[in-house]
Amino acid sequence: MSPELRWQRACRLTLALGLVLALAVAGYMTLGAVGKWSFVLSYRGEKLLTILLVAWTVPAATVLFHVISRNPILTPSIMGFDTLFVLIQTLAVFLLGSATVSAWPPQLVFLGELAVMVVFASLLFHWLFSRIAQSLELLLLVGIVFGVLFRSVSGLLQRLIDPSEFLIVQDRMFASFSGAEPQVLTMSAGLVGVATLWAIWRLPAIDAMVLGRDAALAIGVPHRRLTAEVFLIVTLLVAASTALVGPITFFGLLVANVAYRLLPGAPLRLTLPLAGLLGAALLVAAQVVLERVLGFAGTVGIVIEFLGGLIFILLLIERAR
Amino acid sequence: MIRVENLGKSYAGQWVVDLPELELPRGGLTAIIGPNGAGKSTLLSMIARLQSPDRGVVTLDGQDILRIPGDTLARRLTVLRQDNAMAARLTVSDLVGFGRYPYSKGRLTGEDHAKIEESLALVELQPYRHRFLDELSGGQRQRAFIAMVLAQDTEYALFDEPLNSLDIRHAVSVMQLLRRAAEELGKTVVTVLHDLNFAARHSDRIIAMKNGQLQFAGPPHQVIRTVALRDLYGIDLNVSRTDGKLMVDIYG
Ligand SMILES: Nc1ncnc2c1ncn2[C@@H]1O[C@H](COP(=O)(O)OP(=O)(O)O)[C@@H](O)[C@H]1O
Ligand SMILES: [Mg+2]
């Protein structure tokens, strides 16, 4: 595919998806509104912001994770990344009680969770990548086992704690786009901003990682350090999205792989925005159709995860052939 | 000049490279020969900093290569590895474009594009520039990787079995390309070769390795000898001279 053709296609896709997104946003803000407009718009605006933030964060994390794992089937979530975040939250409530946790300023809690997540994820996954990264199947298996383990431990702890405390934690166990607390939204937005700028700054070097370790080193890309950096960026992005809407497993996989098919072999400066735009159009349109038009409240996460799950299975089958 | 001092790499207590001293002078084409497992690839990898030695140092024009910043080194020395398995979908011109990374850091300038074109032309891959690598034959892919190294335009270029999976026509043309890079552009080319006749005809120096050690080294007419080569490979072969040209007959 020639660069010109690729650029043309990217422009056309951007235009089409931008149009879909604009329509969906208009529908989302206006359909079925009752009461004062100023209230409706500001309330919905905040929720929309959450959705758009996640629509960028999850695909970006997934695409970047694909670069370092050099595999388009893995996602941070399949590797148990976001269940780890849930576990940390549950553990905090279990050990300290929700009264203590909610008495702290939410910003502080968020930063604390983030710090634990970054340290733990770095240790865990660095170890994973350096020890068993040679075998993708093993890596995938270990990741899934970790995911299940984190989930089960969280589940166990949630059963042990007080029912009223449980409600607080349970709220965060399933992806829900019903909007996050304003403080968390601000913090996450800031975090995503920092991670995004960092990624943009390093993008040309990150792009060169598709060559693999040896060829990347031969052209002067500090492969090891860059892998660690991208790892950290991914961790920050996953932490932000999990704090906002809870764990999402397959959404990023779905969007990323559609983007790869639409622009095969494209550099990240094209793939990343396309994936974000696709994600945003998909999420907002799904909200409008499922919740506003069909009236199925709270089903967006489930439907999108179902589609993503299908893609995951298709990709696995395709690989096996 | 690349200098290797007391360089060693061991796996499971076995030294797979064990070189007290070796010099690869500036300029010219040096061929490294030797049986499989002799340590040729490991040596090139350590020189290019892809693997770290277990002992010893490599210096480039007197400077310890471990002290040279990565992007500086990438403008002076590069390597083409033996196996270039590529999971990602990349087009030929994108791949060759990565050879310009040390200079443009991903933002290709007009000069970069000119270099890319020139490199594609040298390996005769212009008609395939927009093909994906997985849409090429093995030999075409190998030439794409060679073009990437050429685009990097380093003074020192190391090649690990660059003639792998090339047909005779392209093997000859790549060999002549390396020869010209050394002769006309003044590059220092070091290449692992298995075809002894190519080594004899086109190299200025031959280095023979076996079991991680230097077996012998010198200009072709000194080291392409029946006894030495029989000893190196452990097979029956004969070296003859026709019209002053060395011919190694390995076909039994
Ligand atoms: N990662 C490794 N683990 C164990 N042994 C290795 C490893 N890499 C290379 N070797 C061994 O080192 C020796 C030299 O390998 P190599 O440098 O690839 O040889 P050559 O390129 O001359 O064929 C071989 O015996 C090989 O089996
Ligand atoms: Mg080898």
Side-chain angles (χ1 to χ4, degrees):
Chain A
M1 183 181 269
S2 77
E4 297 78 32
L5 187 66
R6 186 190 281 152
W7 180 246
Q8 261 177 27
R9 197 189 278 193
C11 288
R12 251 182 275 140
L13 284 168
T14 307
L15 213 64
L17 287 168
L19 204 65
V20 173
L21 179 60
L23 283 176
V25 164
Y28 182 82
M29 294 299 279
T30 54
L31 281 183
V34 279
K36 269 176 62 182
W37 276 107
S38 62
F39 172 74
V40 170
L41 289 185
S42 82
Y43 175 71
R44 288 188 177 181
E46 206 163 273
K47 279 176 64 172
L48 182 68
L49 210 62
T50 309
I51 295 172
L52 291 180
L53 207 52
V54 170
W56 161 245
T57 307
V58 174
T62 308
V63 169
L64 290 174
F65 194 73
H66 289 166
V67 176
I68 47 173
S69 62
R70 297 189 78 206
N71 191 283
I73 296 178
L74 294 180
T75 76
S77 339
I78 291 172
M79 305 297 299
F81 244 72
D82 48 5
T83 45
L84 176 63
F85 195 77
V86 173
L87 177 62
I88 294 170
Q89 289 180 323
T90 312
L91 213 57
V93 173
F94 180 76
L95 294 177
L96 305 168
S98 69
T100 320
V101 174
S102 52
W104 291 340
Q107 288 95 329
L108 197 71
V109 175
F110 183 72
L111 283 181
E113 285 170 349
L114 185 67
V116 176
M117 171 110 176
V118 166
V119 170
F120 198 65
S122 306
L123 287 179
L124 181 64
F125 291 99
H126 228 80
W127 173 77
L128 273 184
F129 266 81
S130 57
R131 288 299 167 85
I132 58 165
Q134 300 88 332
S135 160
L136 172 71
E137 283 70 22
L138 195 59
L139 195 64
L140 194 63
L141 200 64
V142 171
I144 290 172
V145 168
F146 269 117
V148 171
L149 178 73
F150 295 153
R151 214 184 307 250
S152 321
V153 173
S154 307
L156 178 68
L157 293 179
Q158 283 157 14
R159 249 161 240 134
L160 292 177
I161 57 180
D162 194 86
S164 59
E165 308 242 60
F166 170 66
L167 280 180
I168 296 168
V169 183
Q170 193 210 25
D171 221 27
R172 323 204 72 166
M173 275 294 285
F174 299 99
S176 110
F177 297 98
S178 53
E181 300 158 57
Q183 293 100 325
V184 173
L185 183 59
T186 324
M187 300 279 304
S188 305
L191 192 63
V192 171
V194 169
T196 303
L197 285 179
W198 190 357
I200 290 174
W201 173 53
R202 299 294 264 163
L203 214 53
I206 299 174
D207 247 326
M209 289 174 82
V210 300
L211 295 173
R213 177 186 174 272
D214 288 351
L217 281 174
I219 58 168
V221 171
H223 188 268
R224 202 190 161 86
R225 219 191 74 198
L226 201 59
T227 306
E229 279 181 43
V230 176
F231 221 99
L232 196 57
I233 293 172
V234 169
T235 308
L236 295 179
L237 290 175
V238 172
S241 89
T242 313
L244 282 172
V245 298
I248 306 179
T249 310
F250 293 119
F251 166 59
L253 193 74
L254 170 71
V255 170
N257 277 285
V258 172
Y260 300 152
R261 301 281 147 123
L262 290 175
L263 288 179
L268 291 172
R269 65 172 181 277
L270 296 182
T271 307
L272 277 174
L274 178 67
L277 203 53
L278 261 172
L282 182 66
L283 273 190
V284 183
Q287 288 276 348
V288 172
V289 173
L290 289 171
E291 299 201 347
R292 298 271 195 275
V293 177
L294 298 176
F296 299 144
T299 51
V300 172
I302 298 167
V303 170
I304 289 186
E305 290 290 82
F306 176 70
L307 287 179
L310 276 183
I311 293 276
F312 178 62
I313 292 169
L314 287 178
L315 287 171
L316 279 180
I317 293 173
E318 195 183 77
R319 256 181 73 85
R321 279 213 231 109
Chain B
M1 181 176 70
I2 300 170
R3 222 183 110 82
V4 158
E5 282 164 45
N6 192 28
L7 190 71
K9 179 87 187 169
S10 76
Y11 288 112
Q14 191 95 19
W15 291 101
V16 300
V17 168
D18 180 9
L19 296 168
E21 191 176 13
L22 180 68
E23 278 181 8
L24 304 168
R26 210 168 177 159
L29 195 154
T30 302
I32 303 181
I33 62 170
N36 291 147
K40 306 179 297 292
S41 298
T42 309
L43 172 64
L44 288 197
S45 292
M46 288 192 290
I47 293 175
R49 278 207 326 211
L50 305 183
Q51 289 185 43
S52 44
D54 292 320
R55 59 154 224 261
V57 287
V58 178
T59 60
L60 183 66
D61 298 330
Q63 218 179 343
D64 184 345
I65 53 150
L66 297 180
R67 298 259 163 95
I68 304 174
D71 49 346
T72 312
L73 187 67
R75 273 177 255 130
R76 292 172 61 188
L77 180 145
T78 192
V79 65
L80 176 65
R81 294 266 292 140
Q82 188 170 354
D83 36 292
N84 293 288
M86 183 79 43
R89 290 207 100 192
L90 266 186
T91 64
V92 172
S93 63
D94 285 344
L95 177 77
V96 179
F98 277 122
R100 299 304 298 167
Y101 181 85
Y103 305 92
S104 57
K105 296 289 188 287
R107 279 173 198 73
L108 297 178
T109 63
E111 191 192 334
D112 293 323
H113 284 294
K115 275 278 180 215
I116 294 168
E117 279 311 301
E118 192 189 314
S119 310
L120 283 173
L122 285 171
V123 297
E124 301 178 18
L125 273 186
Q126 302 111 309
Y128 301 95
R129 80 182 79 210
H130 298 317
R131 287 270 195 101
F132 287 108
L133 290 178
D134 57 7
E135 296 167 351
L136 298 179
S137 78
Q140 290 166 338
R141 198 154 43 230
Q142 178 75 355
R143 273 147 60 204
F145 279 99
I146 291 170
M148 175 184 165
V149 169
L150 296 176
Q152 201 171 335
D153 198 18
T154 51
E155 189 192 338
Y156 294 89
L158 317 176
F159 296 87
D160 200 347
E161 301 190 26
L163 308 186
N164 255 358
S165 61
L166 297 189
D167 62 30
I168 17 179
R169 177 184 137 82
H170 286 106
V172 171
S173 98
V174 164
M175 206 56 230
Q176 283 168 346
L177 198 63
L178 300 188
R179 179 76 238 155
R180 267 178 29 221
E183 231 161 58
E184 294 169 21
L185 306 174
K187 311 265 180 203
T188 307
V189 178
V190 179
T191 177
V192 174
L193 291 176
H194 278 308
D195 189 315
L196 296 172
N197 286 312
F198 270 134
R201 189 69 48 86
H202 294 286
S203 61
D204 299 306
R205 276 175 304 279
I206 292 178
I207 289 172
M209 286 180 71
K210 191 177 183 179
N211 298 327
Q213 293 178 332
L214 180 69
Q215 201 78 358
F216 52 81
H221 61 270
Q222 279 179 18
V223 297
I224 296 295
R225 295 270 167 88
T226 305
V227 179
L229 290 178
R230 275 185 184 170
D231 187 40
L232 183 66
Y233 288 101
I235 60 162
D236 193 20
L237 52 69
N238 283 296
V239 176
S240 62
R241 227 177 240 276
T242 8
D243 306 333
K245 287 175 173 173
L246 290 165
M247 285 299 299
V248 187
D249 180 6
I250 54 169
Y251 303 104

